[in-house]
Amino acid sequence: INNDWVDMQSYPFRKFKIKQSKKEKVYLPEDKMRALLTIDLSHEQGNGLELARDFFVLSFLLCGINPIDLYNLPQQSERITFVRQKVKFHEPYPIHIGICSEAQYLISQHKGQEHLINLAEKYQSFESCYHFMKHRLKKLGKMIGCPDITFYWARYSWATYASKIDVSDSTISKALGHAESTLAEKRYIS
C-alpha cells in the first residue's frame, strides 16, 4: 500500500496484531508405536481398525508420506516416485522412496489394481476414505493411550525418529518433500 494513499492516522488496522501460534509437534513415542504395531485386533475384524493402522504405519514407513499422496499412488515396485499433491503446481520436485520389506508386506495386503494400495478403488473419494480412517485411528489411539492421534503424527514420528538416529535435516526435508532443508527441523522434528 502506498503511504501517500493511506493516512496512517486513519488506517483502521494499525493497532491490530496477529499472534503467531506454533503448531505443536506431536509424534508417537516409541512405546506407543510398539503398542500400535502389536495391538491384537483379531476381535475387531471388519470394523476398519486394522486398515487404519496399516494406513498409518505405511505412511510412517514411507518417510511420512501424506495420506492423499499415499491414496493416489499408482502401481510401482521397489521404489516409489511421486510429486506431493500439496506442492505439485509450484514445487514439482519428485520424491523417491525405497520400499522396505515391512512396507512391501503392507502394500501386498492392500494391493490395488491400478493404485499402489486399494483405497482409491474402495472409496469414491479421498475425503470419504480419510473420514472413515480418521475415526478408526482415533479409536486405535484410545486403545494405546494416545486419543489425539491423527495421520499427520506418522509424518512427525518419521521425521523425529530419523533425526534421533542422526539422519541429516536436509535428507529429512527431501524425504518429506520440502524445498528448504530448515523446514523439517522447524515444523516436524520434536
Side-chain angles (χ1 to χ4, degrees), residues 131-185:
H131 181 76
F132 176 85
M133 298 282 228
K134 86 176 175 184
H135 290 292
R136 273 63 186 180
L137 186 62
K138 289 283 186 198
K139 186 172 181 181
L140 282 169
K142 288 177 185 172
M143 294 168 78
I144 63 167
C146 288
D148 297 328
I149 192 172
T150 67
F151 281 104
Y152 224 67
W153 285 33
R155 196 164 170 79
Y156 284 118
S157 298
W158 181 83
T160 300
Y161 292 176
S163 179
K164 284 182 179 184
I165 60 169
D166 295 326
V167 174
S168 72
D169 288 348
S170 64
T171 300
I172 293 170
S173 285
K174 284 179 187 174
L176 293 171
H178 295 154
E180 277 185 60
S181 63
T182 58
L183 284 177
E185 185 178 345

